[in-house]
Amino acid sequence: MKPAAGPAPSPGWAQDAGSVDALTPGSVDALEGRRRFLGLAAVGGVALAPGIHLMQVARAAPTEASSKVRWGLLVDTTKCAAGCSECVSACDTENGLSGRTAPTDPQWIRKVELVEIKTGRKASLPVMCQHCAEPPCVDVCPTGASFKRADGIVLVDHHLCIGCRYCLMACPYKARSFVHEPLHDQKPEVPRGKGCAEGCTLCVQRIDRGAGPACVEACKTTGHGAMLFGDLNDPQSEIARRVREVASRALRADLALDPGVRYEGL
């Protein structure tokens, strides 16, 4: 069985190709709306909830990112159960996503089923932003809205995003989404906006509080334990030891992007 959409697989694996939306005339309305939005933000910030303004949320960082740390994920595909989507549901709940899967609905993490061409062996795995050390989304962004923190987390500054969607086209993992519709009931810690690109942040709001990504916590709660999060730069961390001791690979390693997400069992 082949997935409807997913990243380009490693050699020896097959999957169907997806498509990326092109810039449409409707984007003009989104851009104009953002100009008005930024004008309000410049005056005093846009209220997300009583006493909370987007400018305040964007600037508030409990801890400063350090280049001594590189956050990463290790996914054991031999433990990832086909049909299980608890990691996806946890991501949607934590970040205020709708959970819908229409082509225009934002998805920060999705389950992909791969089939090995020669043997027919199947593998199920979650795919999200791979938080590359050399992120192509950052390279093509004309405004600097796509950026990489010192600790390796790749993010989007929604104040700078103009909705060009170059990053969606540049990402080989199809991990970026575009917000086509107005948003309601947003999470104060996860400001989003119509006309902006977005993707997995590794739950940066949780990391800055000393916790881990919601998907990893959900996977552990189900008993699968297929996802491991930690500091790849710390040789004593569990994830660093695991990467040293067990064979793992990056998706599209041939692109030499040095992703922070690796997969075991492929």
Side-chain angles (χ1 to χ4, degrees), residues 47-92:
L48 296 176
I52 300 178
H53 289 74
L54 180 54
M55 295 295 286
Q56 295 172 346
V57 172
R59 291 171 179 167
T63 58
E64 184 175 350
S66 169
S67 59
K68 295 181 180 179
V69 173
R70 188 183 181 192
W71 298 117
L73 284 173
L74 177 63
V75 179
D76 187 345
T77 63
T78 66
K79 296 180 180 179
C80 185
C84 176
S85 59
E86 289 301 312
C87 56
V88 178
S89 298
C91 174
D92 292 342

Side-chain angles (χ1 to χ4, degrees), residues 85-225:
S85 59
E86 289 301 312
C87 56
V88 178
S89 298
C91 174
D92 292 342
T93 300
E94 173 66 29
N95 297 293
L97 277 67
S98 69
R100 297 189 297 267
T101 58
T104 56
D105 290 324
Q107 291 179 272
W108 291 13
I109 179 174
R110 65 196 188 282
K111 286 295 292 292
V112 171
E113 307 293 328
L114 298 181
V115 179
E116 192 171 23
I117 297 173
K118 292 183 178 180
T119 66
R121 183 171 69 91
K122 297 180 180 179
S124 180
L125 60 150
V127 177
M128 67 293 285
C129 172
Q130 302 289 289
H131 298 280
C132 306
E134 303 293 337
C137 57
V138 173
D139 290 341
V140 302
C141 182
T143 66
S146 289
F147 69 100
K148 185 181 69 171
R149 290 202 333 177
D151 55 8
I153 300 176
V154 178
L155 301 172
V156 177
D157 184 336
H158 296 104
H159 297 292
L160 298 178
C161 180
I162 59 173
C164 67
R165 290 180 262 188
Y166 288 173
C167 59
L168 273 73
M169 293 180 279
C171 178
Y173 309 107
K174 302 178 185 175
R176 280 281 171 92
S177 294
F178 184 79
V179 181
H180 292 267
E181 304 294 337
L183 299 171
H184 307 283
D185 302 320
Q186 294 190 57
K187 297 294 185 73
E189 285 188 312
V190 191
R192 303 167 61 214
K194 178 183 177 182
C196 289
E198 59 181 28
C200 163
T201 66
L202 284 180
C203 292
V204 65
Q205 71 277 11
R206 293 168 59 95
I207 291 175
D208 286 345
R209 294 199 305 264
C215 59
V216 176
E217 183 177 293
C219 187
K220 182 178 180 180
T221 301
T222 63
H224 295 143

